Amino acid sequence: MKPKFADRIASMPTSVFSTMGKLALEHKAVNLGQGFPDFDGPGWIQEEAFKAMKSGLNQYAPMNGIFTLRNNISNAFLNNYNMQWNPDTEITITAGATEALYSTITALVNPGDEVMMFEPYYDAHQADVILAGGIPTYVTLRKPDFSFDPEDLEETVSNKTKILIINNPHNPTGKVYTRSEFDQIATFAIKHNLLVISDEVYEFLTFDGIKHIPIATLPGMRDRTITISSTGKTFGMTGWKIGYAIACPELTVAVQKVHQWTTFAVNTPGQHAMAYAFSKLDGYLPDFRALYQSKRDLLFERLKETAFTPHKPDGSYFMMVDIPESAGEEDIDCSTRLVKDLGVATIPPSVFYSKSDEGKSMLRLCFAKKDETLLQGIEKLKAY
Ligand code: PMP
Ligand code: GLN
């Protein structure tokens, strides 16, 4: 019998991260593709998880997450961005930012609703909108600084547009939006009465002293924004899949209506460990940032010895590089050849664009890797 699938998955491709990860393993390639650290997260956070397990904290957590984690996230937001969120009514712990995005988008999007996003987009943003029956529309961030044309915002919005999705710091470009860009985006969102889903999983990875601004903190934005982040990025443990969504009570109730039927609750010992981690955030961040900034600088400098031209990122752990024009090769062919023949995995960013062709001229590299991995990767890239 040929199974009949739901229409909503008809156009769903396999994620580029799975495809490239598989090729990297098959060809024993140096993996600068999928975004995760190839070194372990802090042992002192793991100890807290062991302690929680050993003391019997192994049954279901509350649907919205354990109080101490929600409370410590609320305190971190207040300390870093000077905005108060009620841990009981405005914060939900989710199975990674991935689930927070899914639950939020599923809770808000009706079939036929338009959802605007900047491209290159994070692939889950587009996929979740399509799964909900929504229609994604795009504003392109253009090289070299990945800025947008404000007229593009007005040309893309329609009376069907309900939501704008932003991602800051930005995957895959490493762009950090400027305050003046944010002022334009906030004014636009308010003018068109849009909800804003703000994916801020790299909020603590900004470099050269740049300060992260949550868009919820701009005037008029608090009650129309769902802020999403991830302890996987902040504490270097992506495999624990503990994320969160922050929003006003009305929007939080909506997100939780989906969350309760998606995962219901997130793993308990991990939440206890992350609650402890957040209580130590201030002491942890300087070294964390310095480590990733040194990795960015290493990759940026050493790429000059290769044919690829890097765009220096202000945040996240990704860097875009231009494929040399003389190679006459597009990103998918180039990244396939790199992983199969030269033994280095990268991500072809054209899969993050739907409107513009710009992605075809670049590759995305991840620098959340040991220095030796980065150096091995650069040696391989030199052969191109
Ligand atoms: N949003 C962005 C922009 C990401 O890069 C990622 C993953 N790296 C996620 C969301 C998913 O986060 P999580 O692993 O917590 O599900
Ligand atoms: N966010 C990670 C990246 O951009 C991948 C996460 C995933 O594989 N879903 O590489």
Side-chain angles (χ1 to χ4, degrees):
M1 182 198 116
K2 200 171 180 306
K4 282 196 179 145
F5 302 122
D7 295 343
R8 71 176 76 86
I9 68 157
S11 65
M12 251 334 114
T14 302
S15 139
V16 69
F17 306 118
S18 305
T19 312
M20 258 306 157
K22 197 161 159 261
L23 279 178
L25 274 178
E26 263 169 42
H27 295 276
K28 297 194 174 61
V30 179
N31 196 349
L32 305 184
Q34 194 183 20
F36 65 91
D38 70 345
F39 45 92
D40 207 359
W44 55 271
I45 302 179
Q46 295 167 14
E47 288 300 330
E48 289 301 308
F50 299 151
K51 269 196 233 162
M53 287 180 201
K54 289 290 182 195
S55 61
L57 295 167
N58 297 303
Q59 306 307 331
Y60 291 132
M63 181 273 285
N64 57 344
I66 63 166
F67 176 77
T68 45
L69 178 55
R70 286 181 279 115
N71 197 44
N72 292 353
I73 288 170
S74 168
N75 288 336
F77 209 103
L78 184 63
N79 293 341
N80 285 285
Y81 313 124
N82 200 26
M83 179 171 269
Q84 185 101 47
W85 296 94
N86 183 329
D88 284 325
T89 55
E90 298 186 309
I91 300 180
T92 312
I93 309 301
T94 57
T98 306
E99 192 248 317
L101 288 163
Y102 178 82
S103 292
T104 302
I105 291 168
T106 303
L108 301 178
V109 175
N110 272 323
D113 285 344
E114 288 182 9
V115 179
M116 273 175 76
M117 59 191 77
F118 292 94
E119 67 170 16
Y121 41 79
Y122 181 56
D123 56 356
H125 299 166
Q126 185 205 43
D128 288 346
V129 171
I130 293 171
L131 286 173
I135 300 161
T137 61
Y138 310 96
V139 171
T140 306
L141 299 171
R142 297 213 176 265
K143 289 202 288 189
D145 55 353
F146 301 105
S147 57
F148 61 90
D149 178 350
E151 280 178 21
D152 245 14
L153 291 175
E154 291 297 342
E155 276 162 22
T156 308
V157 74
S158 82
N159 58 9
K160 290 193 191 136
T161 309
K162 187 170 179 189
I163 300 173
L164 173 69
I165 302 182
I166 60 169
N167 170 215
N168 186 50
H170 186 246
N171 175 5
T173 66
K175 170 190 176 69
V176 175
Y177 286 80
T178 62
R179 172 74 203 208
S180 95
E181 285 177 315
F182 261 15
D183 285 336
Q184 289 171 34
I185 293 171
T187 306
F188 170 78
I190 293 165
K191 176 177 165 200
H192 294 281
N193 198 22
L194 305 179
L195 293 166
V196 173
I197 299 174
S198 184
D199 179 339
E200 303 181 19
V201 299
Y202 302 103
E203 63 183 309
F204 297 114
L205 278 175
T206 53
F207 309 124
D208 308 317
I210 292 176
K211 224 178 129 30
H212 174 70
I213 308 171
I215 199 160
T217 61
L218 268 73
M221 293 304 289
R222 189 187 192 286
D223 287 349
R224 65 175 71 246
T225 302
I226 302 94
T227 305
I228 289 172
S229 191
S230 175
T231 68
K233 308 292 166 183
T234 301
F235 296 107
M237 258 149 355
T238 58
W240 286 23
K241 295 296 291 184
I242 300 176
Y244 48 97
I246 306 179
C248 68
E250 221 183 339
L251 287 171
T252 292
V253 167
V255 171
Q256 290 179 357
K257 289 219 165 135
V258 181
H259 168 71
Q260 68 181 341
W261 305 129
T262 310
T263 53
F264 188 75
V266 174
N267 87 80
T268 306
Q271 289 195 57
H272 283 276
M274 285 305 175
Y276 181 74
F278 267 104
S279 75
K280 303 285 175 203
L281 184 67
D282 290 351
Y284 164 81
L285 281 182
D287 285 352
F288 172 68
R289 278 207 183 91
L291 177 72
Y292 280 88
Q293 183 164 326
S294 78
K295 291 185 181 301
R296 177 202 63 170
D297 292 344
L298 174 75
L299 183 62
F300 185 78
E301 285 308 316
R302 300 296 289 268
L303 275 168
K304 291 178 185 160
E305 297 162 22
T306 74
F308 297 92
T309 312
H311 296 266
K312 198 175 200 172
D314 289 327
S316 85
Y317 45 52
F318 302 109
M319 191 179 298
M320 294 284 244
V321 298
D322 285 327
I323 300 167
E325 253 173 59
S326 56
E329 201 170 36
E330 291 185 354
D331 65 331
I332 293 185
D333 291 340
C334 180
S335 61
T336 307
R337 209 151 64 79
L338 282 172
V339 71
K340 288 188 175 168
D341 300 347
L342 301 184
V344 56
T346 60
I347 297 290
S350 59
V351 298
F352 307 135
Y353 289 80
S354 292
K355 208 163 95 176
S356 151
D357 275 347
E358 250 188 23
K360 291 182 179 167
S361 63
M362 294 179 281
L363 297 174
R364 188 195 81 171
L365 308 183
C366 173
F367 56 86
K369 306 293 171 192
K370 292 179 203 139
D371 288 359
E372 68 188 73
T373 312
L374 293 174
L375 292 171
Q376 282 165 5
I378 287 157
E379 279 312 307
K380 307 269 183 195
L381 289 173
K382 276 188 197 170
Y384 186 83

